[in-house]
Amino acid sequence: MSHHQDPYLQRYPDSKGYYGQFGGNHYPVELHPALQELANSYDKLHQDPAFQDALKRARIGLQGRPTPIHHLANISTDIGGAQIFVKREDLNHTGAHKINHCVGFALLAKAMGKTKLIAETGAGQHGVALATAAAFFRLDCEIHMGEVDIAKQSSNVGRIRLLGGRVVPANQGQSALKEASDSAFQAYVEQHHTALYAIGSAIGPHPFPRIVRDFQSVVGQEAREQCLDMMGDRLPEHVIACVAGGSNAMGMFSGFVDDAEVVLHAVEPLGVSERLGEHAATLSHGRPGTLHGARSVVLQKEDDTPAAVSSIASGLAYPGVGPEMAMLHEMDRISVTTVSNAEAIEAFYQLSQLEGIIPALESAHALAFAFRLAATRPPSERILVNLSGRGDKDVDFVLDNHGVGSSQTPQ
């Protein structure tokens, strides 16, 4: 196992919040003191044993961690290639990896004397997770959500409200995740003295990408230990995660980034086609730019404004990517690939009908690539996929648009 003296997680970001050329703090100047306060508090707290202890208790009791690694024996057998394993982040309380950093942000807010959490959500998973954490730690909660997503994810909207969260509709532009982010940022500008912005992914200005990655790194740390345990002291040859902002991917990759022999695969949504506006494959088709307070790679129109995006998975419909993912891509540490809506739907049915697990449409993108990759690799190799969320939220949408599908052997 090739572990450096100076592990990756301590090298990035640098003191100004940069990951190579990406990252930094490109927020309005009036918010710099609030971000500095957050960075200072986090630096102090994340080394504080009492803080870590409270985090650990919430992870075990509220979230149900650790989540297991599970062998997809049926699908692996049918494909006849590499063996596929999944990290069951879908088994977290609230149904996705998002609660990993929501619990962290709630604890940070308490420690900083804030009384409220503000966030954006796309598919609603982050919103539900944050409302859950806010209820547990007795904080107010305000969730900004695009009107399109409010209509599409009505059960999650109901859950957020039931948990005591307030849902604020965002109705500009595409009325989706980017607009919800804009709306939440604006609310944070106005309320930063009493509220903490609990960003939904590893995006935004420093220190947000670092904080989200660190709280999500529990996924990669657990997975690495579980693999060594299960696989006879060896690591998987391939580790796969879907990518939009990068919270589930950075969480998983952080456990393996120092292991040069492990190939890290980032799977982006190709939506309907490669035409700008019909996908959300930022690393594949974007270029450097600034979005939501950080320098990163952005899908942009010719006038440098963010392009419209499309994906069957609400949580992947974002025109940017976290600065750390952008750096890892530039360093060639991650391999980037794309999966279309149709291929993701196919994987959604396969996992449901061949393994008894209904995945989130976001996670189905990672699974689709895993099935494709497994067919080209020998049975001696192991592929680990971050199954970042469960598909309850997507069942009605899939049934209404695609029917019940049929048990098919993965191609």
Side-chain angles (χ1 to χ4, degrees):
M1 309 302 148
S2 52
H3 270 268
H4 306 282
Q5 297 330 103
D6 183 14
Y8 170 90
L9 293 185
Q10 284 162 22
R11 292 201 303 280
Y12 300 104
D14 69 16
S15 59
K16 293 196 169 66
Y18 277 89
Y19 302 84
Q21 63 160 310
F22 303 110
N25 173 5
H26 299 264
Y27 246 21
V29 87
E30 65 268 24
L31 266 179
H32 288 193
L35 291 170
Q36 195 55 56
E37 178 202 13
L38 175 59
N40 296 344
S41 300
Y42 178 71
D43 275 341
K44 202 163 72 231
L45 287 163
H46 94 109
Q47 296 168 14
D48 176 1
F51 181 85
Q52 289 299 335
D53 193 48
L55 184 59
K56 192 174 172 190
R57 279 201 310 273
R59 282 189 169 152
I60 294 167
L62 180 67
Q63 288 183 237
R65 296 205 74 89
T67 59
I69 281 184
H70 176 60
H71 182 208
L72 300 184
N74 298 338
I75 289 178
S76 298
T77 301
D78 287 357
I79 293 175
Q83 298 302 301
I84 304 167
F85 295 80
V86 287
K87 175 67 169 159
R88 297 288 310 271
E89 288 301 292
D90 59 313
L91 293 178
N92 272 299
H93 179 46
T94 73
H97 72 289
K98 293 290 185 190
I99 194 152
N100 294 328
H101 66 258
C102 291
V103 162
F105 272 119
L107 264 170
L108 270 180
K110 291 285 277 195
M112 292 171 71
K114 309 290 186 193
T115 56
K116 183 181 199 175
L117 293 167
I118 296 174
E120 80 295 329
T121 194
Q125 290 302 103
H126 177 62
V128 170
L130 196 67
T132 299
F136 183 71
F137 290 106
R138 299 191 134 178
L139 294 160
D140 292 332
C141 179
E142 181 179 302
I143 302 294
H144 295 250
M145 193 169 182
E147 285 194 324
V148 171
D149 292 328
I150 288 178
K152 186 173 162 187
Q153 306 287 354
S154 60
S155 71
N156 273 345
V157 174
R159 288 159 78 194
I160 292 167
R161 291 181 172 140
L162 189 60
L163 290 159
R166 187 170 146 247
V167 178
V168 181
N171 49 18
Q172 322 280 222
Q174 279 193 287
S175 302
L177 184 55
K178 180 194 168 290
E179 289 70 32
S181 297
D182 295 341
S183 174
F185 271 127
Q186 198 45 50
Y188 178 50
V189 173
E190 290 158 19
Q191 303 175 56
H192 66 265
H193 295 296
T194 55
L196 180 60
Y197 183 38
I199 205 159
S201 194
I203 55 170
H206 179 65
F208 287 119
R210 177 194 171 199
I211 292 175
V212 172
R213 174 202 72 191
D214 286 359
F215 285 140
Q216 287 293 347
S217 69
V218 64
V219 179
Q221 286 160 5
E222 280 180 11
R224 192 173 190 283
E225 286 169 22
Q226 289 165 323
C227 284
L228 289 171
D229 197 40
M230 266 178 96
M231 299 175 184
D233 260 358
R234 44 179 277 214
L235 294 174
E237 282 76 12
H238 304 273
V239 172
I240 301 176
C242 64
V243 174
S247 58
N248 96 85
M250 278 316 312
M252 178 57 101
F253 293 167
S254 66
F256 300 92
V257 72
D258 281 323
D259 300 297
E261 67 274 27
V262 179
V263 185
L264 306 177
H265 300 270
V267 183
E268 298 195 305
L270 194 59
V272 195
S273 84
E274 292 204 1
R275 280 180 45 195
L276 194 64
E278 296 193 344
H279 63 77
T282 305
L283 291 170
S284 304
H285 298 287
R287 54 190 164 90
T290 302
L291 178 66
H292 292 141
R295 179 110 183 123
S296 190
V297 174
V298 186
L299 287 169
Q300 301 169 71
K301 297 185 287 209
E302 284 179 7
D303 65 1
D304 296 342
T305 58
V309 287
S310 172
S311 171
I312 201 161
S314 301
L316 299 181
Y318 184 66
V321 66
E324 189 163 8
M325 294 298 302
M327 177 192 75
L328 287 172
H329 181 230
E330 191 178 69
M331 285 164 60
D332 282 336
R333 181 60 189 97
I334 54 174
S335 168
V336 175
T337 186
T338 59
V339 160
S340 68
N341 284 350
E343 207 182 348
I345 287 286
E346 185 61 30
F348 180 91
Y349 286 129
Q350 286 167 358
L351 196 73
S352 301
Q353 297 177 355
L354 298 173
E355 298 285 358
I357 301 169
I358 302 173
L361 282 173
E362 290 78 8
S363 317
H365 284 72
L367 290 159
F369 175 67
F371 300 163
R372 198 199 302 165
L373 180 66
T376 69
R377 308 304 302 177
S380 60
E381 289 194 9
R382 289 114 198 260
I383 295 172
L384 175 65
V385 185
N386 194 8
L387 182 53
S388 53
R390 64 174 189 234
D392 307 35
K393 66 185 178 60
D394 299 313
V395 169
D396 291 347
F397 174 79
V398 172
L399 290 177
D400 290 350
N401 291 278
H402 302 275
V404 295
S406 65
S407 291
Q408 286 174 358
T409 304
Q411 295 306 308

